[in-house]
Amino acid sequence: MFERAFVGRAAELAALTTTFTGPDAPWLLLVDGPAGIGKSRLIAEFVHAARCRVLVVTGTEDAQPQPHYLADDIVEQVSECAGADTATQWYPASGVTPDARDRADLVRRVRRELGAVETLLVVDDAQWADPESLRLLTFLIRNRPAREFRLLLAFRDGGCPPSIARLVRAPQVRTVHVRVPPFTEADVDGLLPEEKPGRRARLFTASHGNPLYLTLLAGLPDRELDRALHGEEPDPASNDFAALDRTIRAELAQLPDTERVVAQAIAVCGLPPDLELLCSTAALTDAVVAAAVDGLVRRGVVSVGDGAVTFAHPLIRTAAYRVSGHGWAAMAHRRAALALRARGASMPSRARHLEHALLGADELAGAELRLAAEQVLADAPAASARWLSAAARIAPATDDPLADALALGRAQLLSGAAARAGETLEPAAATPGRHQLEALLLSARCARMLGRVDQARMLLAHGATLPRRPGDGPVQLELAILEMQDHQDSEGRARLSALFDSDAIDDPAVRAAATALRCLGLLADARIAEAAQLYEPCGLAFDQLTDTALREVVHAAPAFGWCAYFLDRDADGLRHVDRAIAVSRRFGRTYALAELHTVRAYSLAKLGRLTDAIAAADEATDAATTFHYPDLVSFAGALKLRTLQLTAAPETVAAQWHVISALPRPTMRWWRQVVETTLADTARIVLDSTPPEDRPGPLYPTHLSRAARAAIGIGDLAAANTLVTRAEAAAAATGTTGGARPARGADHGLPAPCAPVGATAVPVKSPQTADERGIEPQLDSRPAADPRGSWASPSPSWSVDGLGSQIGAAASARADYAAAVGDIAAAAAAAEVAIAAFERAGMVVNRAQAELFAGAIAGRNGDFARATSLFASARAAFVDTGAVRLLDEVTTAQRRLAGAQRVGAPTALTGREREVAELAAHGHTNKAIAEHLYLSPRTVEDHLGRVLRKLGLTGRAGIARKLGELDAADSSA
């Protein structure tokens, strides 16, 4: 185990170091805490900072029976410091143990030498001190060698020797007592900065804040970490517990024989065992086991409460289990299983032991394993799969082998073993009968997860020809999900309609999931208003499901999450997705985690929670890799790549680009389009300005806007204007209370989600866009000629009811186009619309990018106060969200703005500000000015405030004079 950074102990270290402030400071220092809490690490830092002679001795359990062993260590170190030969000067004769009189003389010599110079004596693990050495320590406490002498004693919880505890209360003993606390979450962040935030948080919770356990857990791979924390037996063949072997396991191996056997038996029992089960497992009598448990409690290995004995931490159980030999553990499991059978315990409790017991052909045990597997399938599919495999090994003959294969395949799939599940399910999927439809469905899901789209399509087509049976509502629901994912939209809609017309829809879970799919289908058809109306009851239906009911349709939760994403309801969608993730983990539905984390990542990025989005993308990648879901690896990785553009150094972005570029493209067209577009954007490849196919979808305006920017980049302004106009119309049609519906193409699959940051709004250094060329050169007072022969950009008819994300995307494209043709007014107006739209959608980064654009325009118009305000808002948003790569853009814009202001000259007023200023100079009140100009009093107040700032005034009195100076300057120019 390597040495990690010293973190989280600043207060405790300060409490120790302040004892050196003077001779009257506390001199008996007591440090305590549980095993592994970091007492020795704290002492090492303290010793390193001490500016005096330091002597350190350490107690050990195996040396405790040896009299004077700690005292002898102290004598040896003192003699070395004094320069004396231990054998001839400190003992009466070489090789002769000193008698009581000599020992008393020796103690006085030690005390005298300790007081000769300023000394700190440290005794670590003092709970293992032998009685004779304790007498030396108590003597030194009662008779402090000198005012500069300090004694530090460190011991485990409850391990302070009674003789010392009594002296602590003596009036002449000034004491400081430092209890080392568990780490906080911030401490763990400092100790394990290389870990991903999600795994770091999990390690913190699992370790109980104990640094030793934290470090050991961090060294385990995820699978073994899961096994350790869930109380499962570690894989005997695993070599992933080397750190455990060197620490906890080594300590357990030194226990007295009976205590070690009982610790092993407790580990084999697993769930907190009672005394009767523990005795049966250990094959020892009640009295022997009780005495051994008392010894383990004293050592802090176990605790006893509520009639059961438990380990102090799951890692100690793991180590105790591995101390057991394979043969001993197998026989102990068999004894435990027989004892549980005799008392009529639950099937799962028996199966835990039968799985590991040495069994031959045993029909009774096989039946128990199968029944237990059925009972835990919903909550622990991995255990269910193991028990079914064990049952097949010891009792292979059953009345319905296809049912057995279906049960095992289902358990394997739910636990994420898609490849093994597909092989297991082949006989049931190929054989006509009552199991075939579900076997085909499960096989198709396996194939889909493994990226075998053609195989999945073939299996689904076969399943679609089979007649529906009562109770197969969940099967039909999953068929609809896979059909819609495979762009078989008409088949999926037909299946959903049939499902809504059947009795199966009476199941609340089936109804909630089917409603989410219907809502997603409406979005695919760009029927935004209908989808928005369906979203609320769909969310309510999911809210009303119990966790047990949600467990059965958790694979449909991503569909609802995407609905929220497309409808700009991301915060609400995240709430549902987070619950689905918790349910998936709780009930072992880990196969659903990859897509759940993916939709979570996209929603987080869209809301500007960039650090969380990267962590969620990593979680999705890990789950997709674990469960062999290659399509999601690149899909989630594309989101991370897009987000890293805003948060990370260029070399980090480049490394991620190469990772994603080397992966196979997703087979699902929607996901493939996202990956390819992201790779092209990031690599600064000139995007194709060809208009996207005219097909419906909630993000159609975004795709049109992207194509418009590409046209601007290559100078095709006529095509750009056409695309921007179409984007505006499509964005207006996304109104949730109705609106025009775009022409419908042959393909009704969902379009690619807009990249939540960067390319979806005002692009930040995207390939050859208006932003990359710079706003200032294009915002000339005399616009460049439009190839269509028109100077002005059309004024869009914005729909305030449209989706904010899409209105913002179209408005940003309009601003880019207007800037390209020099129409400053249109660019400013479009930028303001984009700001408001992105604010409504909660897209913080996109709003800030639009503010940056609008600020540049305001600066060009001479409204420096407005420009400064917009730049400040954009900078704050970039800092808050972690989009640090965009801060350079703000700095450049601010410098450009500063250079545009003439030093020492009055700042130019806009036309409206000049009108307000002249009326104010003639003595009109704000109310009178508002009535004259048909403005609100608040607007007049804002204008007047900017006038005063620009003219460098604090009140109205100097406005007339300043206006005269401006006029004189203009006439002389």
Side-chain angles (χ1 to χ4, degrees), residues 319-378:
Y321 191 92
R322 288 176 64 85
V323 168
S324 309
H326 298 329
W328 188 95
M331 294 306 297
H333 278 298
R334 186 175 185 277
R335 290 192 294 268
L338 293 176
L340 290 170
R341 181 185 293 171
R343 67 169 64 174
S346 68
M347 290 298 171
S349 65
R350 300 186 216 177
R352 278 195 59 259
H353 297 289
L354 291 172
E355 174 189 358
H356 300 286
L358 286 176
L359 298 173
D362 191 332
E363 292 187 5
L364 176 58
E368 289 175 333
L369 284 166
R370 288 189 174 91
L371 183 56
E374 181 181 349
Q375 293 175 359
V376 305
L377 174 64

Side-chain angles (χ1 to χ4, degrees), residues 578-817:
D578 286 342
R579 183 192 173 203
I581 289 173
V583 168
S584 297
R585 285 177 171 161
R586 175 185 170 192
F587 293 110
R589 296 298 202 267
T590 47
Y591 71 91
L593 289 175
E595 192 168 359
L596 285 168
H597 279 298
T598 299
V599 65
R600 185 172 186 269
Y602 275 89
S603 294
L604 287 168
K606 184 178 172 185
L607 294 176
R609 295 170 55 183
L610 305 184
T611 301
D612 293 338
I614 291 174
D618 286 337
E619 292 271 11
T621 300
D622 290 344
T625 302
T626 300
F627 302 129
H628 309 289
Y629 207 157
D631 279 12
L632 279 172
V633 174
S634 55
F635 186 43
L639 180 279
K640 181 177 180 179
L641 173 59
R642 185 76 77 173
T643 309
L644 286 175
Q645 282 186 281
L646 307 178
T647 62
E651 55 269 21
T652 303
V653 178
Q656 178 69 4
W657 188 94
H658 287 292
V659 168
I660 303 305
S661 178
L663 292 172
R665 299 296 181 265
T667 52
M668 190 185 299
R669 185 179 54 206
W670 162 21
W671 297 353
R672 183 173 64 251
Q673 183 180 3
V674 172
V675 172
E676 291 175 347
T677 302
T678 301
L679 288 171
D681 284 350
T682 312
R684 304 285 185 89
I685 298 171
V686 177
L687 299 180
D688 185 3
S689 63
T690 303
E693 54 184 305
D694 193 11
R695 76 175 200 263
L699 303 181
Y700 188 52
T702 292
H703 303 313
L704 289 167
S705 300
R706 183 181 292 119
R709 288 198 187 89
I712 295 171
I714 62 176
D716 190 351
L717 299 182
N721 182 62
T722 300
L723 288 165
V724 169
T725 303
R726 289 174 59 191
E728 291 165 347
T734 63
T736 55
T737 58
R741 185 174 166 188
R744 191 170 163 180
D747 184 354
H748 313 308
L750 282 176
C754 61
V757 289
T760 59
V762 178
V764 179
K765 293 191 179 299
S766 56
Q768 301 185 13
T769 62
D771 282 340
E772 187 174 68
R773 295 194 305 271
I775 293 174
E776 291 296 321
Q778 300 162 49
L779 295 178
D780 189 79
S781 59
R782 296 178 59 87
D786 189 318
R788 298 174 294 110
S790 170
W791 293 93
S793 302
S795 177
S797 176
W798 298 106
S799 169
V800 295
D801 188 46
L803 292 174
S805 58
Q806 304 312 301
I807 295 291
S812 297
R814 170 61 66 186
D816 273 348
Y817 171 76

Side-chain angles (χ1 to χ4, degrees), residues 2 77 198 254 290 305 307 333 390 416 420 575 600 627 763 884-885:
F2 61 90
Q77 291 200 37
Q254 296 177 8
H333 278 298
R420 290 203 305 273
R575 179 174 62 84
R600 185 172 186 269
F627 302 129
V884 295
R885 306 304 302 175

Side-chain angles (χ1 to χ4, degrees), residues 870-915:
L870 287 168
F871 290 157
S873 178
R875 178 179 288 277
F878 294 151
V879 171
D880 289 344
T881 60
V884 295
R885 306 304 302 175
L886 301 181
L887 293 177
D888 289 345
E889 307 244 346
V890 182
T891 301
T892 300
Q894 288 174 325
R895 289 172 178 170
R896 188 178 294 160
L897 179 68
Q901 302 181 62
R902 287 182 295 166
V903 179
T907 304
L909 303 178
T910 64
R912 178 65 77 185
E913 289 169 352
R914 178 71 188 218
E915 291 177 312

Side-chain angles (χ1 to χ4, degrees), residues 568 606-607 803-805 807-808 831-848 850-851 873 877:
D568 291 347
K606 184 178 172 185
L607 294 176
L803 292 174
S805 58
I807 295 291
E832 294 297 334
V833 170
I835 292 171
F838 287 134
E839 175 70 26
R840 179 155 53 92
M843 300 169 68
V844 181
V845 176
N846 302 75
R847 185 210 70 208
E851 287 176 333
S873 178

